[in-house]
Coordinates of all heavy atoms in Angstrom, one line a residue:
M966 N -8.6 5.3 2.4 CA -9.7 5.3 1.4 C -9.6 4.0 0.6 O -8.6 3.6 0.2 CB -9.5 6.5 0.5 CG -10.6 6.7 -0.6 SD -10.5 8.1 -1.7 CE -10.6 9.4 -0.5
T967 N -10.8 3.5 0.4 CA -10.8 2.2 -0.4 C -10.7 2.5 -1.9 O -11.0 3.6 -2.3 CB -12.1 1.5 -0.2 OG1 -13.2 2.2 -0.7 CG2 -12.3 1.2 1.3
V968 N -10.4 1.5 -2.7 CA -10.3 1.7 -4.1 C -11.7 2.0 -4.7 O -11.8 2.8 -5.6 CB -9.6 0.5 -4.9 CG1 -8.2 0.4 -4.5 CG2 -10.4 -0.8 -4.6
Q969 N -12.7 1.4 -4.2 CA -14.1 1.7 -4.7 C -14.5 3.2 -4.4 O -15.1 3.8 -5.3 CB -15.1 0.7 -4.0 CG -16.5 0.9 -4.7 CD -16.5 0.6 -6.2 OE1 -16.0 -0.4 -6.6 NE2 -16.9 1.6 -7.0
K970 N -14.1 3.7 -3.2 CA -14.4 5.1 -2.9 C -13.7 6.0 -3.8 O -14.3 7.0 -4.3 CB -14.0 5.3 -1.4 CG -14.1 6.8 -1.0 CD -15.5 7.2 -0.7 CE -15.4 8.6 -0.1 NZ -16.7 9.2 0.1
L971 N -12.4 5.7 -4.1 CA -11.7 6.5 -5.1 C -12.3 6.5 -6.4 O -12.4 7.5 -7.1 CB -10.2 6.1 -5.1 CG -9.3 6.8 -6.1 CD1 -9.3 8.3 -5.9 CD2 -7.9 6.2 -6.1
K972 N -12.7 5.3 -6.9 CA -13.3 5.1 -8.2 C -14.5 6.0 -8.3 O -14.8 6.6 -9.3 CB -13.6 3.6 -8.5 CG -14.2 3.4 -9.8 CD -13.2 3.4 -10.9 CE -13.7 2.7 -12.1 NZ -12.9 3.1 -13.3
D973 N -15.4 6.0 -7.2 CA -16.6 6.8 -7.2 C -16.3 8.3 -7.3 O -16.9 9.0 -8.0 CB -17.4 6.5 -5.9 CG -18.0 5.1 -5.9 OD1 -18.0 4.4 -6.9 OD2 -18.3 4.6 -4.8
L974 N -15.2 8.7 -6.6 CA -14.9 10.1 -6.6 C -14.4 10.5 -8.0 O -14.7 11.6 -8.5 CB -13.7 10.4 -5.6 CG -14.1 10.3 -4.1 CD1 -12.9 10.5 -3.2 CD2 -15.1 11.4 -3.7
I975 N -13.6 9.7 -8.6 CA -13.1 9.9 -10.0 C -14.3 10.0 -11.0 O -14.4 10.9 -11.8 CB -12.1 8.9 -10.4 CG1 -10.8 9.0 -9.6 CG2 -11.8 9.0 -11.9 CD1 -9.8 7.9 -9.8
N976 N -15.2 9.0 -10.8 CA -16.4 9.0 -11.7 C -17.3 10.2 -11.6 O -17.9 10.6 -12.5 CB -17.2 7.7 -11.5 CG -16.5 6.5 -12.0 OD1 -15.6 6.5 -12.8 ND2 -16.9 5.3 -11.5
R977 N -17.3 10.8 -10.4 CA -18.2 12.0 -10.1 C -17.4 13.2 -10.4 O -17.9 14.3 -10.1 CB -18.7 11.9 -8.7 CG -19.7 10.9 -8.4 CD -20.4 11.1 -7.1 NE -19.6 11.5 -6.0 CZ -19.2 10.8 -5.0 NH1 -19.5 9.5 -4.9 NH2 -18.5 11.3 -4.0
N978 N -16.1 13.1 -10.9 CA -15.3 14.3 -11.1 C -15.1 15.2 -9.9 O -15.1 16.4 -10.0 CB -15.8 15.1 -12.3 CG -15.7 14.3 -13.6 OD1 -14.7 13.7 -13.9 ND2 -16.8 14.4 -14.4
E979 N -14.9 14.5 -8.7 CA -14.7 15.3 -7.5 C -13.4 16.0 -7.6 O -12.4 15.5 -8.2 CB -14.8 14.4 -6.3 CG -16.1 13.7 -6.0 CD -17.1 14.7 -5.4 OE1 -16.7 15.7 -4.8 OE2 -18.3 14.5 -5.7
D980 N -13.3 17.1 -6.9 CA -12.0 17.9 -6.9 C -11.1 17.3 -5.8 O -11.2 17.6 -4.6 CB -12.3 19.3 -6.6 CG -11.1 20.2 -6.8 OD1 -10.1 19.8 -7.4 OD2 -11.2 21.4 -6.3
I981 N -10.3 16.4 -6.2 CA -9.3 15.7 -5.4 C -8.0 15.6 -6.1 O -7.9 15.4 -7.3 CB -9.8 14.3 -4.9 CG1 -8.8 13.6 -4.0 CG2 -10.1 13.4 -6.1 CD1 -9.3 12.3 -3.4
T982 N -6.9 15.9 -5.3 CA -5.6 15.7 -5.9 C -5.1 14.3 -5.5 O -5.1 13.9 -4.4 CB -4.6 16.8 -5.3 OG1 -5.1 18.1 -5.6 CG2 -3.2 16.6 -5.8
I983 N -4.7 13.6 -6.6 CA -4.2 12.2 -6.4 C -2.7 12.2 -6.7 O -2.3 12.7 -7.8 CB -4.9 11.2 -7.3 CG1 -6.4 11.3 -7.1 CG2 -4.4 9.8 -7.1 CD1 -7.2 10.6 -8.1
I984 N -1.9 11.7 -5.8 CA -0.4 11.8 -5.9 C 0.1 10.3 -5.8 O -0.1 9.7 -4.8 CB 0.2 12.7 -4.9 CG1 -0.4 14.1 -4.9 CG2 1.8 12.7 -5.1 CD1 0.1 15.0 -3.8
D985 N 0.8 9.9 -6.8 CA 1.5 8.7 -6.8 C 2.9 8.9 -6.2 O 3.7 9.7 -6.7 CB 1.7 8.2 -8.3 CG 2.2 6.8 -8.4 OD1 3.0 6.4 -7.6 OD2 1.9 6.1 -9.4
I986 N 3.2 8.2 -5.1 CA 4.5 8.4 -4.4 C 5.5 7.3 -4.8 O 6.6 7.2 -4.2 CB 4.3 8.6 -2.9 CG1 3.9 7.3 -2.3 CG2 3.4 9.7 -2.6 CD1 4.1 7.2 -0.8
R987 N 5.2 6.5 -5.7 CA 6.1 5.4 -6.1 C 7.3 6.0 -6.9 O 7.2 7.2 -7.4 CB 5.4 4.4 -7.0 CG 4.2 3.7 -6.3 CD 3.5 2.7 -7.2 NE 2.9 3.5 -8.3 CZ 2.6 2.9 -9.5 NH1 2.8 1.6 -9.7 NH2 2.1 3.7 -10.5
E988 N 8.3 5.2 -7.1 CA 9.4 5.6 -7.9 C 9.0 5.9 -9.3 O 8.0 5.3 -9.8 CB 10.6 4.6 -7.8 CG 11.1 4.4 -6.5 CD 11.7 5.7 -5.9 OE1 12.4 6.4 -6.6 OE2 11.5 6.0 -4.7
T989 N 9.8 6.7 -10.1 CA 9.4 7.0 -11.4 C 9.2 5.8 -12.3 O 8.3 5.7 -13.1 CB 10.5 8.0 -12.0 OG1 10.6 9.1 -11.2 CG2 10.1 8.4 -13.4
Y990 N 10.1 4.8 -12.2 CA 10.0 3.6 -13.0 C 8.7 2.9 -12.8 O 8.1 2.3 -13.6 CB 11.2 2.7 -12.9 CG 11.4 2.0 -11.6 CD1 10.8 0.8 -11.4 CD2 12.1 2.6 -10.5 CE1 10.9 0.1 -10.1 CE2 12.2 2.0 -9.3 CZ 11.6 0.7 -9.1 OH 11.7 0.1 -7.9
E991 N 8.2 2.9 -11.5 CA 7.0 2.2 -11.2 C 5.8 3.0 -11.8 O 4.9 2.4 -12.3 CB 6.8 2.2 -9.6 CG 7.7 1.3 -8.9 CD 7.6 1.4 -7.4 OE1 8.0 2.5 -6.8 OE2 7.1 0.5 -6.8
F992 N 5.9 4.3 -11.7 CA 4.8 5.2 -12.2 C 4.7 5.0 -13.7 O 3.6 5.0 -14.3 CB 5.2 6.7 -11.9 CG 4.3 7.7 -12.4 CD1 3.0 7.9 -11.8 CD2 4.6 8.5 -13.5 CE1 2.2 8.9 -12.3 CE2 3.8 9.5 -14.0 CZ 2.6 9.7 -13.4
E993 N 5.8 4.9 -14.4 CA 5.8 4.8 -15.9 C 5.2 3.5 -16.3 O 4.8 3.4 -17.5 CB 7.3 4.9 -16.4 CG 7.8 6.3 -16.3 CD 9.3 6.4 -16.6 OE1 10.0 5.4 -16.7 OE2 9.8 7.6 -16.6
D994 N 5.1 2.5 -15.4 CA 4.5 1.2 -15.8 C 3.0 1.2 -15.7 O 2.3 0.2 -16.0 CB 5.1 0.1 -14.9 CG 6.4 -0.3 -15.3 OD1 6.8 0.0 -16.5 OD2 7.2 -1.0 -14.5
G995 N 2.4 2.3 -15.2 CA 1.0 2.5 -15.1 C 0.7 3.3 -13.8 O 1.4 3.1 -12.8
A996 N -0.4 4.1 -13.9 CA -0.7 4.9 -12.8 C -2.2 5.3 -12.8 O -2.9 5.1 -13.8 CB 0.1 6.2 -12.8
I997 N -2.7 5.8 -11.7 CA -4.1 6.2 -11.6 C -4.2 7.7 -11.9 O -5.2 8.2 -12.4 CB -4.6 6.0 -10.1 CG1 -4.5 4.6 -9.7 CG2 -6.0 6.6 -9.9 CD1 -4.7 4.3 -8.2
C998 N -3.1 8.4 -11.7 CA -3.1 9.9 -11.9 C -1.9 10.3 -12.8 O -1.2 9.5 -13.2 CB -3.0 10.6 -10.5 SG -1.5 10.2 -9.7
E999 N -1.8 11.7 -12.9 CA -0.7 12.2 -13.7 C 0.4 12.8 -12.9 O 1.4 13.2 -13.4 CB -1.3 13.3 -14.6 CG -2.2 12.7 -15.7 CD -2.8 13.8 -16.6 OE1 -2.3 14.9 -16.6 OE2 -3.7 13.5 -17.3
L1000 N 0.2 12.9 -11.6 CA 1.2 13.5 -10.7 C 2.0 12.5 -9.9 O 1.4 11.7 -9.2 CB 0.4 14.5 -9.7 CG 1.3 15.2 -8.7 CD1 2.4 16.0 -9.4 CD2 0.5 16.1 -7.8
N1001 N 3.3 12.5 -10.2 CA 4.2 11.6 -9.5 C 5.2 12.4 -8.7 O 5.9 13.1 -9.2 CB 4.9 10.7 -10.5 CG 5.9 9.7 -10.0 OD1 7.0 9.7 -10.5 ND2 5.6 9.0 -9.0
I1002 N 5.1 12.2 -7.4 CA 6.1 12.8 -6.5 C 6.7 11.6 -5.7 O 6.1 11.2 -4.7 CB 5.5 13.8 -5.5 CG1 4.8 14.9 -6.3 CG2 6.6 14.4 -4.6 CD1 4.2 16.0 -5.5
P1003 N 7.8 11.0 -6.2 CA 8.4 9.9 -5.5 C 8.7 10.2 -4.0 O 9.0 11.4 -3.6 CB 9.7 9.7 -6.2 CG 9.5 10.2 -7.6 CD 8.6 11.4 -7.4
L1004 N 8.6 9.2 -3.2 CA 8.7 9.4 -1.7 C 9.9 10.1 -1.3 O 9.9 11.0 -0.5 CB 8.7 8.0 -1.1 CG 8.8 7.9 0.4 CD1 7.6 8.6 1.1 CD2 8.8 6.5 0.9
D1005 N 11.1 9.9 -2.0 CA 12.3 10.5 -1.6 C 12.4 12.0 -1.9 O 13.2 12.8 -1.5 CB 13.6 9.8 -2.1 CG 13.6 9.8 -3.6 OD1 12.6 10.1 -4.3 OD2 14.7 9.5 -4.1
Q1006 N 11.4 12.5 -2.8 CA 11.3 13.9 -3.2 C 10.2 14.6 -2.4 O 10.1 15.9 -2.5 CB 11.1 14.0 -4.7 CG 12.2 13.5 -5.5 CD 11.8 13.5 -7.0 OE1 10.9 14.3 -7.4 NE2 12.4 12.7 -7.8
F1007 N 9.4 13.9 -1.7 CA 8.1 14.5 -1.2 C 8.4 15.7 -0.3 O 7.7 16.7 -0.4 CB 7.3 13.4 -0.5 CG 5.9 13.7 -0.5 CD1 5.1 13.2 -1.5 CD2 5.3 14.4 0.5 CE1 3.7 13.5 -1.5 CE2 3.9 14.6 0.5 CZ 3.1 14.2 -0.5
L1008 N 9.3 15.6 0.7 CA 9.5 16.7 1.6 C 10.0 17.9 0.9 O 9.7 19.0 1.3 CB 10.3 16.2 2.8 CG 9.7 15.3 3.7 CD1 10.7 14.8 4.8 CD2 8.4 15.8 4.4
T1009 N 10.8 17.7 -0.1 CA 11.4 18.9 -0.8 C 10.3 19.5 -1.7 O 10.5 20.7 -2.2 CB 12.6 18.6 -1.6 OG1 12.3 17.6 -2.6 CG2 13.7 18.1 -0.7
R1010 N 9.2 18.8 -2.0 CA 8.2 19.3 -2.9 C 6.9 19.5 -2.2 O 5.8 19.6 -2.8 CB 8.0 18.3 -4.1 CG 9.2 18.2 -4.9 CD 9.1 17.2 -6.0 NE 8.1 17.5 -6.9 CZ 7.7 16.7 -7.9 NH1 8.3 15.5 -8.1 NH2 6.7 17.0 -8.8
I1011 N 6.9 19.6 -0.8 CA 5.8 19.7 0.0 C 4.9 20.9 -0.4 O 3.7 20.9 -0.2 CB 6.1 19.8 1.5 CG1 4.9 19.5 2.4 CG2 6.8 21.1 1.9 CD1 4.5 18.1 2.4
N1012 N 5.5 22.0 -0.9 CA 4.7 23.1 -1.3 C 3.8 22.9 -2.5 O 2.9 23.7 -2.8 CB 5.7 24.3 -1.7 CG 6.6 24.0 -2.8 OD1 7.0 22.8 -3.0 ND2 7.0 25.0 -3.6
E1013 N 3.9 21.7 -3.2 CA 3.1 21.4 -4.3 C 1.8 20.7 -3.8 O 0.9 20.4 -4.6 CB 3.8 20.4 -5.3 CG 5.0 21.0 -6.0 CD 5.7 20.0 -6.9 OE1 5.0 19.2 -7.6 OE2 6.9 20.0 -6.8
I1014 N 1.7 20.4 -2.5 CA 0.6 19.7 -2.0 C -0.5 20.7 -1.5 O -0.2 21.4 -0.6 CB 1.0 18.7 -0.8 CG1 2.3 18.0 -1.1 CG2 -0.1 17.8 -0.4 CD1 2.2 17.2 -2.4
P1015 N -1.7 20.6 -2.1 CA -2.7 21.6 -1.6 C -3.2 21.3 -0.2 O -3.3 20.1 0.2 CB -3.8 21.4 -2.7 CG -3.6 20.1 -3.3 CD -2.1 19.8 -3.2
K1016 N -3.6 22.3 0.5 CA -4.1 22.1 1.9 C -5.6 22.4 1.9 O -6.3 22.1 2.9 CB -3.4 23.0 2.9 CG -2.1 22.6 3.3 CD -1.5 23.3 4.5 CE -0.3 22.7 5.0 NZ 0.2 23.3 6.2
E1017 N -6.2 22.9 0.8 CA -7.5 23.4 0.8 C -8.5 22.4 0.1 O -9.7 22.7 0.0 CB -7.6 24.7 0.0 CG -7.4 24.7 -1.4 CD -5.9 24.6 -1.8 OE1 -5.0 24.7 -1.0 OE2 -5.7 24.3 -3.0
K1018 N -8.0 21.2 -0.3 CA -8.9 20.2 -0.9 C -8.3 18.8 -0.6 O -7.2 18.7 -0.2 CB -9.1 20.4 -2.4 CG -7.8 20.2 -3.2 CD -8.1 20.4 -4.7 CE -6.9 20.1 -5.5 NZ -7.3 20.2 -7.0
P1019 N -9.1 17.8 -0.7 CA -8.7 16.4 -0.4 C -7.5 16.0 -1.2 O -7.4 16.3 -2.4 CB -9.9 15.5 -0.7 CG -11.1 16.4 -0.7 CD -10.6 17.8 -1.1
V1020 N -6.5 15.3 -0.6 CA -5.4 14.8 -1.3 C -5.2 13.3 -1.0 O -5.3 12.9 0.2 CB -4.1 15.5 -0.8 CG1 -2.8 14.9 -1.4 CG2 -4.1 17.0 -1.2
L1021 N -5.1 12.5 -2.0 CA -4.9 11.1 -1.8 C -3.5 10.7 -2.2 O -3.1 11.0 -3.3 CB -5.9 10.3 -2.7 CG -5.7 8.8 -2.6 CD1 -6.6 8.2 -1.5 CD2 -6.0 8.1 -3.9
L1022 N -2.8 10.0 -1.4 CA -1.5 9.5 -1.6 C -1.6 8.0 -1.9 O -2.4 7.3 -1.2 CB -0.6 9.7 -0.4 CG -0.5 11.1 0.1 CD1 0.3 11.1 1.4 CD2 0.1 12.0 -0.9
Y1023 N -0.9 7.5 -2.9 CA -0.8 6.0 -3.0 C 0.5 5.6 -3.5 O 1.3 6.3 -4.1 CB -1.9 5.5 -4.0 CG -1.7 5.8 -5.5 CD1 -1.0 4.8 -6.2 CD2 -2.1 6.9 -6.1 CE1 -0.8 5.0 -7.6 CE2 -1.8 7.1 -7.5 CZ -1.2 6.1 -8.2 OH -1.0 6.3 -9.5
C1024 N 0.8 4.3 -3.2 CA 2.0 3.6 -3.6 C 1.6 2.2 -4.1 O 0.5 2.0 -4.5 CB 3.0 3.5 -2.4 SG 2.3 2.6 -1.0
K1025 N 2.5 1.3 -4.1 CA 2.2 0.0 -4.6 C 1.2 -0.8 -3.7 O 0.3 -1.3 -4.2 CB 3.5 -0.8 -4.8 CG 3.2 -2.2 -5.4 CD 4.5 -3.0 -5.6 CE 4.2 -4.4 -6.2 NZ 5.4 -5.2 -6.4
S1026 N 1.5 -0.9 -2.4 CA 0.7 -1.7 -1.5 C -0.1 -0.9 -0.5 O -0.9 -1.5 0.2 CB 1.6 -2.7 -0.8 OG 2.4 -2.0 0.1
G1027 N 0.2 0.4 -0.3 CA -0.4 1.2 0.7 C 0.4 1.4 1.9 O 0.1 2.3 2.7
K1028 N 1.5 0.7 2.0 CA 2.3 0.9 3.2 C 3.1 2.2 3.2 O 3.1 2.9 4.2 CB 3.3 -0.3 3.4 CG 2.5 -1.6 3.7 CD 3.5 -2.8 3.9 CE 2.7 -4.0 4.4 NZ 2.6 -5.0 3.4
R1029 N 3.8 2.5 2.1 CA 4.5 3.8 2.1 C 3.6 5.0 2.2 O 3.9 5.9 2.9 CB 5.3 3.9 0.8 CG 6.5 3.0 0.7 CD 7.2 3.1 -0.7 NE 6.5 2.3 -1.7 CZ 6.8 2.2 -3.0 NH1 7.9 2.9 -3.4 NH2 6.1 1.5 -3.8
S1030 N 2.5 4.9 1.5 CA 1.6 6.1 1.5 C 1.0 6.3 2.9 O 0.8 7.4 3.4 CB 0.5 5.9 0.5 OG -0.3 4.8 0.6
Q1031 N 0.7 5.2 3.6 CA 0.1 5.3 5.0 C 1.1 5.9 5.9 O 0.8 6.8 6.7 CB -0.3 3.9 5.5 CG -1.0 4.0 6.8 CD -1.5 2.6 7.3 OE1 -1.0 1.6 6.8 NE2 -2.5 2.7 8.2
S1032 N 2.4 5.5 5.8 CA 3.5 6.1 6.6 C 3.7 7.5 6.3 O 3.8 8.4 7.2 CB 4.8 5.3 6.5 OG 4.6 4.0 6.9
L1033 N 3.7 7.8 5.0 CA 4.0 9.2 4.6 C 2.8 10.1 5.1 O 3.0 11.2 5.6 CB 4.1 9.3 3.1 CG 4.3 10.7 2.6 CD1 5.7 11.3 3.1 CD2 4.3 10.7 1.0
K1034 N 1.6 9.7 4.9 CA 0.4 10.4 5.4 C 0.6 10.8 6.9 O 0.4 11.9 7.3 CB -0.9 9.6 5.2 CG -2.1 10.3 5.7 CD -3.3 9.3 5.6 CE -4.5 9.8 6.3 NZ -4.5 9.9 7.7
Y1035 N 0.9 9.8 7.7 CA 1.0 10.0 9.1 C 2.1 11.1 9.4 O 2.0 12.0 10.2 CB 1.4 8.7 9.8 CG 1.6 8.8 11.3 CD1 0.5 8.9 12.1 CD2 2.9 8.8 11.8 CE1 0.7 9.0 13.5 CE2 3.1 8.9 13.1 CZ 2.0 9.0 14.0 OH 2.2 9.2 15.4
M1036 N 3.3 10.9 8.7 CA 4.4 11.8 8.9 C 4.1 13.2 8.5 O 4.3 14.2 9.3 CB 5.6 11.3 8.2 CG 6.9 12.2 8.4 SD 8.3 11.6 7.5 CE 7.9 11.9 5.8
I1037 N 3.5 13.4 7.4 CA 3.1 14.8 6.9 C 2.1 15.4 7.8 O 2.2 16.6 8.0 CB 2.6 14.7 5.4 CG1 3.8 14.2 4.5 CG2 2.1 16.0 4.9 CD1 5.0 15.0 4.5
E1038 N 1.1 14.7 8.2 CA 0.1 15.2 9.1 C 0.8 15.7 10.4 O 0.4 16.8 10.9 CB -0.9 14.2 9.5 CG -1.9 13.9 8.4 CD -2.8 12.7 8.6 OE1 -2.6 11.9 9.5 OE2 -3.9 12.7 7.9
K1039 N 1.7 15.0 10.9 CA 2.4 15.4 12.2 C 3.4 16.5 12.0 O 3.4 17.5 12.8 CB 3.1 14.2 12.8 CG 2.3 13.0 13.2 CD 1.3 13.5 14.3 CE 0.4 12.3 14.7 NZ -0.8 12.8 15.4
I1040 N 4.2 16.5 11.0 CA 5.2 17.5 10.8 C 4.7 18.8 10.2 O 5.1 19.9 10.6 CB 6.4 16.9 9.9 CG1 7.1 15.8 10.6 CG2 7.4 18.0 9.5 CD1 8.1 15.1 9.7
H1041 N 3.8 18.7 9.2 CA 3.3 19.8 8.5 C 1.9 20.2 8.7 O 1.3 21.1 8.0 CB 3.5 19.6 7.0 CG 5.0 19.5 6.6 ND1 5.8 20.7 6.5 CD2 5.8 18.5 6.4 CE1 7.0 20.3 6.2 NE2 7.0 19.0 6.1
S1042 N 1.2 19.6 9.7 CA -0.1 19.9 10.1 C -1.2 19.8 9.0 O -2.1 20.6 9.0 CB -0.2 21.3 10.8 OG 0.7 21.3 11.9
F1043 N -1.0 18.9 8.1 CA -2.1 18.7 7.1 C -3.2 17.9 7.7 O -3.0 17.1 8.6 CB -1.5 17.8 5.9 CG -0.8 18.6 4.9 CD1 0.5 19.0 5.1 CD2 -1.3 18.9 3.6 CE1 1.2 19.7 4.2 CE2 -0.6 19.6 2.7 CZ 0.7 20.0 3.0
N1044 N -4.5 18.3 7.3 CA -5.6 17.5 7.8 C -6.5 17.1 6.7 O -7.7 16.8 6.9 CB -6.4 18.4 8.9 CG -6.9 19.7 8.3 OD1 -6.8 19.9 7.1 ND2 -7.5 20.5 9.1
N1045 N -6.0 17.1 5.5 CA -6.8 16.8 4.3 C -6.2 15.5 3.5 O -6.6 15.3 2.4 CB -6.8 18.0 3.3 CG -5.5 18.4 2.9 OD1 -4.5 18.3 3.6 ND2 -5.4 18.8 1.6
L1046 N -5.4 14.8 4.2 CA -4.7 13.7 3.5 C -5.4 12.3 3.7 O -6.0 12.1 4.7 CB -3.3 13.5 4.0 CG -2.3 14.7 3.8 CD1 -1.0 14.4 4.4 CD2 -2.2 15.1 2.4
H1047 N -5.4 11.5 2.6 CA -5.9 10.2 2.6 C -4.9 9.3 2.0 O -4.0 9.8 1.2 CB -7.2 10.1 1.8 CG -8.3 11.1 2.3 ND1 -9.1 10.8 3.3 CD2 -8.5 12.3 1.8 CE1 -9.9 11.9 3.5 NE2 -9.6 12.8 2.6
H1048 N -4.9 8.0 2.2 CA -4.1 7.1 1.5 C -5.0 6.0 0.9 O -6.0 5.7 1.5 CB -2.9 6.6 2.4 CG -3.3 5.4 3.2 ND1 -3.0 4.1 2.8 CD2 -3.9 5.2 4.3 CE1 -3.4 3.2 3.7 NE2 -4.0 3.9 4.6
L1049 N -4.5 5.4 -0.1 CA -5.3 4.3 -0.8 C -5.0 3.0 -0.2 O -3.8 2.5 -0.2 CB -4.9 4.3 -2.3 CG -5.8 3.4 -3.2 CD1 -7.2 3.8 -3.1 CD2 -5.3 3.4 -4.6
E1050 N -6.0 2.4 0.5 CA -5.8 1.1 1.1 C -5.5 0.0 0.0 O -6.3 -0.1 -0.9 CB -7.1 0.7 1.9 CG -7.4 1.7 3.0 CD -8.8 1.5 3.6 OE1 -9.4 0.4 3.3 OE2 -9.2 2.4 4.3
G1051 N -4.4 -0.7 0.2 CA -4.0 -1.7 -0.8 C -3.3 -1.2 -1.9 O -2.7 -1.9 -2.7
G1052 N -3.2 0.1 -2.1 CA -2.4 0.8 -3.1 C -2.7 0.5 -4.5 O -3.8 0.0 -4.8
F1053 N -1.8 0.7 -5.4 CA -2.0 0.5 -6.8 C -2.2 -0.9 -7.2 O -3.0 -1.3 -8.1 CB -0.7 1.0 -7.6 CG -0.9 1.0 -9.1 CD1 -1.9 1.9 -9.7 CD2 -0.2 0.2 -9.9 CE1 -2.1 1.9 -11.1 CE2 -0.3 0.2 -11.3 CZ -1.3 1.0 -11.9
Q1054 N -1.7 -1.8 -6.4 CA -1.9 -3.3 -6.6 C -3.3 -3.6 -6.4 O -3.9 -4.3 -7.2 CB -1.0 -4.0 -5.5 CG -0.8 -5.4 -5.9 CD 0.4 -6.0 -5.0 OE1 0.8 -5.3 -4.0 NE2 0.8 -7.2 -5.3
K1055 N -4.0 -3.1 -5.4 CA -5.4 -3.3 -5.2 C -6.2 -2.7 -6.3 O -7.2 -3.3 -6.7 CB -5.8 -2.8 -3.8 CG -7.3 -2.9 -3.4 CD -7.6 -4.3 -3.0 CE -9.0 -4.4 -2.5 NZ -9.4 -5.7 -2.2
W1056 N -5.8 -1.5 -6.7 CA -6.5 -0.8 -7.8 C -6.5 -1.7 -9.0 O -7.6 -1.9 -9.7 CB -5.9 0.5 -8.0 CG -6.5 1.3 -9.2 CD1 -6.1 1.3 -10.5 CD2 -7.6 2.2 -9.1 NE1 -6.9 2.1 -11.2 CE2 -7.8 2.7 -10.4 CE3 -8.4 2.7 -8.1 CZ2 -8.8 3.6 -10.7 CZ3 -9.4 3.6 -8.4 CH2 -9.6 4.1 -9.7
Q1057 N -5.4 -2.2 -9.4 CA -5.3 -3.0 -10.6 C -6.1 -4.3 -10.4 O -6.7 -4.7 -11.3 CB -3.8 -3.4 -10.8 CG -3.0 -2.3 -11.4 CD -1.6 -2.7 -11.9 OE1 -0.9 -3.3 -11.1 NE2 -1.3 -2.5 -13.1
D1058 N -6.0 -4.9 -9.2 CA -6.8 -6.1 -9.0 C -8.3 -5.9 -9.2 O -9.0 -6.7 -9.7 CB -6.6 -6.7 -7.5 CG -5.2 -7.2 -7.3 OD1 -4.5 -7.4 -8.3 OD2 -4.8 -7.4 -6.2
E1059 N -8.8 -4.7 -8.7 CA -10.2 -4.4 -8.8 C -10.6 -3.9 -10.2 O -11.7 -4.3 -10.6 CB -10.6 -3.3 -7.8 CG -10.4 -3.8 -6.4 CD -11.5 -4.8 -6.0 OE1 -12.7 -4.6 -6.4 OE2 -11.2 -5.7 -5.2
F1060 N -9.8 -3.1 -10.9 CA -10.3 -2.4 -12.1 C -9.5 -2.7 -13.3 O -10.0 -2.3 -14.4 CB -10.3 -0.9 -11.8 CG -11.1 -0.6 -10.6 CD1 -10.6 0.0 -9.5 CD2 -12.5 -0.8 -10.6 CE1 -11.3 0.3 -8.4 CE2 -13.3 -0.5 -9.5 CZ -12.7 0.1 -8.4
A1061 N -8.4 -3.3 -13.3 CA -7.6 -3.5 -14.5 C -8.3 -4.4 -15.6 O -8.1 -4.2 -16.8 CB -6.2 -4.1 -14.2
T1062 N -9.1 -5.3 -15.1 CA -9.7 -6.2 -16.1 C -11.2 -5.9 -16.3 O -11.9 -6.7 -17.0 CB -9.5 -7.7 -15.7 OG1 -10.1 -7.8 -14.4 CG2 -8.1 -8.1 -15.6
K1063 N -11.7 -4.9 -15.6 CA -13.1 -4.5 -15.7 C -13.4 -3.4 -16.6 O -12.6 -2.6 -16.9 CB -13.6 -4.3 -14.3 CG -13.5 -5.5 -13.4 CD -14.0 -5.2 -12.0 CE -13.8 -6.4 -11.2 NZ -14.2 -6.3 -9.8

């Protein structure tokens, strides 16, 4: 998912769960959402991930979230996952000064 598409969904108050998978110290420096499940905790907290509505995963650059999305889809049969292309870094580049 692009940062612009996510911004549009947020502006329209769409029902989407956004999960920051960065480490806690990264999350504390700024985030798009309120839910932080660091990558190393994700599999033990998989029951917190809804299957009935869209879920967006993001990290700093999009690489960790893309890999995690692929893995969770294969192992746990999720079909509602998205990842943020370019991650939090792209989000900040597009919207932090606007």
